[in-house]
């Protein structure tokens, strides 16, 4: 019985992967054994920084070797394609007319041709990640992250790190077009807000539970 949940596991993975890739970038072509050591060290640092109790974290710690090995296998294939880590937990801002878009991107890589790849880590079920890219117009997360960058040639993908399955990439195709559609929608909706136009309350997703603007669109704020 533990007070920690899947979200805690996800936060831990995000932090340790940042530490790992920053350490890896400073290491001179490390072999596989060194990579394992760096990743384990990053896991210990993240556990300490988040103040996670060892007894509560035990279920996730037990699955760590499998998650670690699956991620390193994925990383080897990813790097073989020419991709290289550039930034982790990158805070970005982009002006859009009178608005300022603000966000933090899990990871930014450079591909073999020099273009940018935006990555968001997921620890959810594979079926849920797959569903995100199946309906691209409804999945605004990667499109918003793409909007925080000036690049007109870029790719975006979710990287799913499961506790029992192999790490896998789910690329969102035509991300630049999706980004442009999202920006048009933001400008249109915010102009309507400024005019005092009543907007339909459509929000009902899990993200609403921790959104800082929950009252703007969530259905449970109807009167």
């Amino acid at each position: 019985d533990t007070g920690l949940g899947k979200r805690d596991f996800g936060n831990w993975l995000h932090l340790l992967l940042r530490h790992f890739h920053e350490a890896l970038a400073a290491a001179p072509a490390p072999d596989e054994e060194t990579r394992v050591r760096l990743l384990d060290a990053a896991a210990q640092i993240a556990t300490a920084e988040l103040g996670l109790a060892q007894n509560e974290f035990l279920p996730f710690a037990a699955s760590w070797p499998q998650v670690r090995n699956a991620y390193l296998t994925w990383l080897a294939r990813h790097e073989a394609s020419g991709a290289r880590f550039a930034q982790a937990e990158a805070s970005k801002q982009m002006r859009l007319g009178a608005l300022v878009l603000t966000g933090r991107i899990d990871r930014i890589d450079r591909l073999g041709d020099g273009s940018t790849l935006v990555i968001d880590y997921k620890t959810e079920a594979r079926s849920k990640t797959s569903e995100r890219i199946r309906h691209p117009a409804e999945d605004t997360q990667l499109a918003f992250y793409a909007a925080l960058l000036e690049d007109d040639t870029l790719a975006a993908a979710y990287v799913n790190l499961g506790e029992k399955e192999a790490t896998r990439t789910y690329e969102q195709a035509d991300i630049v077009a999706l980004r442009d559609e999202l920006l048009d929608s933001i400008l249109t909706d915010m102009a309507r807000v400024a005019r005092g136009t009543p907007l339909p309350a459509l929000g009902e997703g899990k993200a609403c539970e921790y959104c800082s603007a929950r009252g703007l669109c969530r259905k449970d704020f109807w009167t």
Side-chain angles (χ1 to χ4, degrees):
D1 185 17
T2 173
L4 297 178
K6 194 75 171 181
R7 184 167 176 79
D8 299 289
F9 181 62
N11 291 338
W12 178 69
L13 274 176
H14 279 67
L15 183 57
L16 78 85
L17 288 175
R18 175 183 183 176
H19 285 305
F20 168 68
H21 280 286
E22 289 176 348
L24 190 63
D31 55 24
E32 183 175 349
E33 184 178 341
T34 302
R35 289 185 172 217
V36 170
R37 288 202 305 270
L38 289 174
L39 202 46
D40 282 340
Q44 293 176 3
I45 294 172
T47 301
E49 288 185 357
L50 293 176
L52 300 175
Q54 294 291 343
N55 59 333
E56 288 195 335
F57 198 64
L58 186 59
F60 298 133
S63 66
W64 167 239
Q66 184 171 341
V67 176
R68 177 197 63 205
N69 295 339
Y71 181 76
L72 289 176
T73 298
W74 171 86
L75 182 61
R77 293 196 306 267
H78 183 63
E79 291 180 335
S81 71
R84 291 294 180 270
F85 168 80
Q87 288 179 278
E89 301 296 329
S91 295
K92 300 288 184 181
Q93 286 190 340
M94 181 65 69
R95 181 164 292 279
L96 180 65
L99 306 173
V100 177
L101 307 182
T102 302
R104 187 174 61 190
I105 302 171
D106 284 357
R107 175 169 161 185
I108 299 174
D109 280 11
R110 297 298 175 192
L111 299 178
D113 60 3
S115 61
T116 301
L117 170 64
V118 174
I119 291 176
D120 187 77
Y121 298 124
K122 293 297 180 190
T123 56
E124 62 198 12
R126 275 190 176 185
S127 58
K128 186 173 181 179
T129 306
S130 179
E131 194 68 17
R132 291 176 185 274
I133 63 172
R134 189 173 299 163
H135 304 288
E138 297 178 12
D139 180 38
T140 58
Q141 186 174 8
L142 288 178
F144 188 87
Y145 289 160
L148 297 173
L149 304 174
E150 297 180 351
D151 309 57
D152 286 328
T153 303
L154 56 83
Y158 294 111
V159 173
N160 185 290
L161 296 94
E163 293 178 64
K164 299 179 181 179
E165 298 176 305
T167 299
R168 182 175 171 183
T169 303
Y170 293 81
E171 183 174 357
Q172 185 65 275
D174 301 321
I175 192 63
V176 174
L178 293 172
R179 174 190 68 183
D180 294 344
E181 290 177 9
L182 177 63
L183 294 178
D184 287 341
S185 296
I186 291 174
L187 288 172
T188 298
D189 286 347
M190 294 307 293
R192 294 176 66 201
V193 169
R195 294 195 299 268
T197 304
L199 301 180
L202 302 176
E204 56 182 1
K206 288 187 176 181
C208 299
E209 296 174 7
Y210 51 86
C211 174
S212 58
R214 173 172 172 158
L216 182 64
C217 63
R218 186 170 170 86
K219 285 184 178 180
D220 62 7
F221 282 87
W222 273 352
T223 59

